[in-house]
């Protein structure tokens, strides 16, 4: 196959009205596909992150005043979205939509720069379509993440366009021989690291690419240019860390942040780890099914590029793709939304692959007709059409349900019923929504609440307006038997239990276990601290109300 035309100098190509019109239609398609997400409630993670961001706007500091082991980048992102779009659930969904649309645009322009307009259009369509499925929720098999609410505004949503922006700038830097642009590539990679430390994988990928780019081939600039680029890259990645580190330093919480993000996270990661390959496929098979087209064409394209092309820019795309897979593997245990990182690089490769493998004849019509004689092309066309069919079947009920709500044919309470993963997970938005509404109506102004065994239930505080009487935003790990004897967990659990006794919150909410179930699960001398906590609650609080999905509310006597 002749690919010389595909790799001509795209810098001279002008954006036509037709091209802009097609790109506009693709963006409209993204908006239509993603529109139902604007109606949906938060998942468990969003409840925690949203609560922390909201409290930051009131002057509180993450980790010191609101404890979590999650990296701080997402809190600043959420706080910025609240400032821009209002302090409400919709603000995060608008941010998610904008990030998704930005990803599609960057995929388009990266592919256009590398492989031309036609491949760029195909890549953008792939990113728009396959980036909007239900599979990335990570809970599809649980029948609880209708459409995506669990994946909305996750860190990976924002990391994907940020890393793609770094890729695009590096391509421009090399084509224009402007080594200083690598500073901005470093800025973007540094921002991705701020969101999640696994993005540090991209730094050695870029460094290796720079070295090969400058030392291999007649156009290379050798040691001097290589040093300039690497210095600019690393400087950008480090400089962007400074404002965040300064924030924690002036609030005297730098050490607390370090222990939470690096020490505590590593402890939790050990709990999650097992056989990496088994974890990658177990419970995530629906991702491969729903997105089979981009997986097929991405790996076929990588093999083709490595064998036939061997261009340095294509090596960068392949390394970017493999780097995202390494970032996913670095999680140890995978959830669907972790795979959002693949959307950008897989879509670029898919746009290239469809052009190379399917359009072997002058027109698409001739290609389809000619595919009847080519078993490989038959297989690829069948995969694409079947994949579209699977997507449509899997998504029908989701769009129908959102349509019913949008048309006013079901109430909000009824609509929220499907956003529930209990009992396979601690979190139940319908239950927490019910608790929040009860407290909003019945609690006195200034009342405080403490949740026990919460797995993202800060949404109760966010929706009800009740203050949390503790800095802990999730407490499930304090009551996890696999982490029970860990020294840090033991220290944090003691702080949590003593805090209840000292601060005497107006309300205590037991989650997932009732009082009797707590006693049954944590029976014996090994769990004496939990037994004492339960005794304290029973002696000083009375049962106020029981809610669905094992939410039990106690009120101080």
């Amino acid at each position: 196959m002749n690919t010389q035309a595909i790799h001509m100098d795209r810098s001279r190509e002008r954006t036509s009205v037709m091209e802009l019109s097609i790109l506009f239609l693709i963006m409209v398609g993204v908006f239509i596909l993603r529109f139902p997400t604007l109606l949906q409630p938060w998942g468990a993670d969003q409840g925690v992150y949203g609560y922390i961001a909201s409290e930051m706007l009131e002057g509180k500091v993450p980790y010191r005043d609101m404890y979590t082991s999650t990296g701080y980048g997402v809190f600043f992102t959420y706080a910025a979205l609240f400032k821009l779009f209002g302090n409400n659930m919709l603000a995060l969904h608008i941010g998610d939509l904008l990030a998704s649309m930005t990803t599609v645009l960057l995929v388009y322009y990266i592919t256009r720069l590398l492989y031309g307009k036609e491949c760029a259009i195909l890549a953008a369509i792939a990113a728009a379509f396959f980036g909007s499925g239900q599979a990335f929720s990570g809970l599809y098999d649980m029948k609880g993440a209708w459409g995506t609410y669990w994946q909305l505004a996750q860190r990976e949503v924002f990391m994907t366009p940020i890393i793609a922006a770094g890729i695009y700038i590096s391509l421009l830097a090399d084509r224009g021989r402007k080594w200083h642009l690598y500073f901005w590539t470093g800025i973007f990679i540094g921002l991705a690291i701020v969101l999640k430390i696994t993005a540090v994988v991209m730094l050695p990928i870029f460094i290796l690419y720079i070295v090969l780019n400058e030392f291999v081939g007649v156009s290379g600039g050798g040691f001097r240019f290589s040093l300039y680029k690497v210095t600019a890259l690393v400087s950008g990645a480090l400089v962007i860390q400074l404002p965040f580190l300064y924030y924690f330093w002036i609030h005297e919480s730098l050490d607390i942040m370090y222990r939470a993000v690096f020490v505590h996270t590593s402890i939790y990661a050990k709990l999650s780890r097992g056989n990496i390959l088994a974890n990658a496929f177990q419970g995530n098979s629906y991702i491969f099914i729903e997105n089979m087209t981009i997986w097929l064409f991405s790996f076929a394209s990588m093999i083709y590029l490595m064998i036939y092309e061997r261009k340095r820019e294509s090596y960068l795309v392949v390394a970017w793709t493999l780097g995202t897979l390494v970032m996913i593997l670095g999680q140890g245990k995978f959830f669907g939304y972790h795979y959002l990182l693949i959307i950008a690089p897989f879509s670029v490769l898919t746009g290239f692959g469809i052009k190379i493998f399917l359009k072997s004849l002058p027109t698409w019509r001739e290609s389809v007709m000619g595919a009847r004689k080519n078993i490989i092309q038959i297989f690829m066309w069948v995969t694409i059409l079947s994949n579209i069919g699977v997507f449509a079947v899997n998504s029908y009920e989701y769009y129908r349900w959102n349509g019913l709500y949008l048309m006013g044919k079901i109430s909000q309470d009824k609509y929220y019923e499907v956003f529930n993963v209990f009992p396979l997970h601690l979190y139940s938005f319908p239950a927490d929504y019910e608790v929040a509404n009860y407290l909003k109506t019945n609690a006195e102004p200034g009342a405080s609440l403490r949740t026990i065994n919460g797995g993202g239930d800060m949404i109760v505080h966010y929706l009800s307006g009740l203050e949390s009487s503790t800095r802990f935003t999730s407490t499930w790990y304090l009551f996890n038997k696999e982490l029970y004897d860990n020294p840090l967990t033991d220290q944090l659990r003691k702080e949590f239990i003593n805090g209840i006794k000292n601060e005497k919150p107006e309300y205590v909410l037991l989650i997932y276990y009732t009082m009797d179930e707590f006693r049954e699960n944590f029976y014996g001398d090994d769990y004496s601290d939990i037994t004492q906590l339960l005794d304290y609650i029973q002696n000083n609080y009375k049962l106020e109300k029981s809610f669905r999905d094992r939410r039990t509310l106690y009120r101080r006597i």
Side-chain angles (χ1 to χ4, degrees), residues 257-297:
M257 178 274 289
Y258 171 79
R259 283 187 283 114
V261 175
F262 294 96
V263 178
H264 193 176
T265 298
S266 65
I267 294 171
Y268 170 58
K270 292 177 182 178
L271 173 67
S272 301
R273 293 192 186 280
N275 184 292
I276 291 180
L277 291 178
N279 287 339
F281 289 91
Q282 185 178 12
N284 293 315
S285 59
Y286 48 86
I287 292 177
F288 305 109
I289 294 171
E290 187 173 274
N291 296 316
M292 177 58 71
T293 294
I294 59 174
W295 284 87
L296 171 67
F297 279 99

Side-chain angles (χ1 to χ4, degrees), residues 91-109:
L92 304 187
H93 298 171
I94 293 174
D96 178 273
L97 177 61
L98 293 176
S100 299
M101 297 178 80
T102 303
T103 296
V104 174
L105 282 174
L106 286 166
V107 164
Y108 176 84
Y109 282 107

